[in-house]
Amino acid sequence: MKWDWNAVSGFMPHFWDGLLVTLQALALGSLLSFSLGLVWTLLMRAPTRWVRWPVGVLTEFVRNTPLLVQLFFLFYVLPEWGVTFSALTTGVVAIGLHYSTYTMQVYRAGIEAVPAGQWEAATALNLPRRRTWTAVILPQAIRRVVPALGNYVISMLKDTPMLMTITVLEMLGQARLYSQQHFQFTEPVTVIGVAFILISYLASLLLRALERRLVR
């Protein structure tokens, strides 16, 4: 097997296009998963079971079904009911929804780790419930769980190639398309593999630096 640098140079424009789509899906999916995860967590702490029960059923269902099945459902089944999104939007929604059921557990652990004295102090100061959450509990809880949330960002990155199955041309999708058009598979797929390693490694370094900063 001979390494063909011409194939690498020919693939690079496609790689940059795929990288942009990958990072876009990752950023929007992460934002959605973090936001929804916090919403699920707060709803699960609602005083009435008529709120907790539907949220619990929904999150358990999403967490225990494969992301690929959810992608297919959103992209191929929902249009039959008149609900249609672009391929990239579908991918972002699927990733964000799927991982929100995991970030929910991270938030829950962070909230439960806040010392009971903080709740008691807020009660003693007669703070409204909303003020207690926004000014006392959530700032402490979120600070504790940022490193764990970052780990899920890396997991989401590794799952972005699944978007290829719904026609999103992220990095692997671009590599597959180029390979099929030029009958050269080794170079494009290798470039994509190295790219994932580098991005994951850089993200892990940033997470370690952020963790050290937060524990000061």
Side-chain angles (χ1 to χ4, degrees):
M1 181 183 67
K2 184 180 179 181
W3 183 263
D4 188 350
W5 287 105
N6 290 329
V8 175
S9 61
F11 171 65
M12 290 311 294
H14 303 273
F15 166 76
W16 294 118
D17 290 341
L19 177 62
L20 181 62
V21 173
T22 295
L23 295 179
Q24 185 178 358
L26 177 63
L28 295 176
S30 298
L31 181 61
L32 182 60
S33 71
F34 295 163
S35 302
L36 276 179
L38 183 57
V39 170
W40 301 146
T41 303
L42 296 179
L43 290 178
M44 286 297 290
R45 298 180 68 89
T48 172
R49 65 183 179 127
W50 299 111
V51 174
R52 298 193 306 270
W53 185 81
V55 173
V57 171
L58 172 64
T59 54
E60 283 296 322
F61 176 80
V62 172
R63 186 164 55 244
N64 289 288
T65 53
L67 174 58
L68 188 59
V69 172
Q70 294 164 19
L71 280 168
F72 275 41
F73 182 86
L74 293 175
F75 191 70
Y76 294 109
V77 177
L78 284 188
E80 296 183 2
W81 298 349
V83 181
T84 304
F85 301 106
S86 68
L88 181 57
T89 300
T90 300
V92 169
V93 170
I95 289 177
L97 179 61
H98 184 80
Y99 276 94
S100 70
T101 62
Y102 294 95
T103 58
M104 177 186 79
Q105 299 299 329
V106 174
Y107 285 124
R108 180 187 59 78
I111 291 172
E112 292 179 354
V114 175
Q118 298 295 311
W119 295 90
E120 296 168 358
T123 302
L125 292 172
N126 200 29
L127 291 180
R129 183 174 179 83
R130 178 176 297 181
R131 181 68 174 168
T132 299
W133 277 104
T134 58
V136 180
I137 305 303
L138 288 181
Q140 296 183 63
I142 292 176
R143 182 176 181 178
R144 295 169 185 268
V145 302
V146 164
L149 293 177
N151 290 331
Y152 280 114
V153 173
I154 296 177
S155 295
M156 282 185 263
L157 171 66
K158 295 177 181 178
D159 277 344
T160 55
M162 289 190 187
L163 303 188
M164 177 181 62
T165 62
I166 58 170
T167 73
V168 176
L169 291 178
E170 41 65 62
M171 289 195 293
L172 187 59
Q174 289 284 2
R176 181 186 180 189
L177 181 62
Y178 181 88
S179 299
Q180 290 175 339
Q181 291 175 343
H182 297 83
F183 302 100
Q184 294 172 309
F185 292 88
T186 302
E187 292 81 5
V189 174
T190 302
V191 168
I192 296 304
V194 172
F196 272 108
I197 292 173
L198 291 177
I199 296 172
S200 298
Y201 180 67
L202 290 175
S204 66
L205 292 180
L206 289 174
L207 285 174
R208 292 174 192 171
L210 181 59
E211 187 173 4
R212 288 194 296 267
R213 184 178 181 87
L214 289 176
V215 297
R216 288 179 181 176

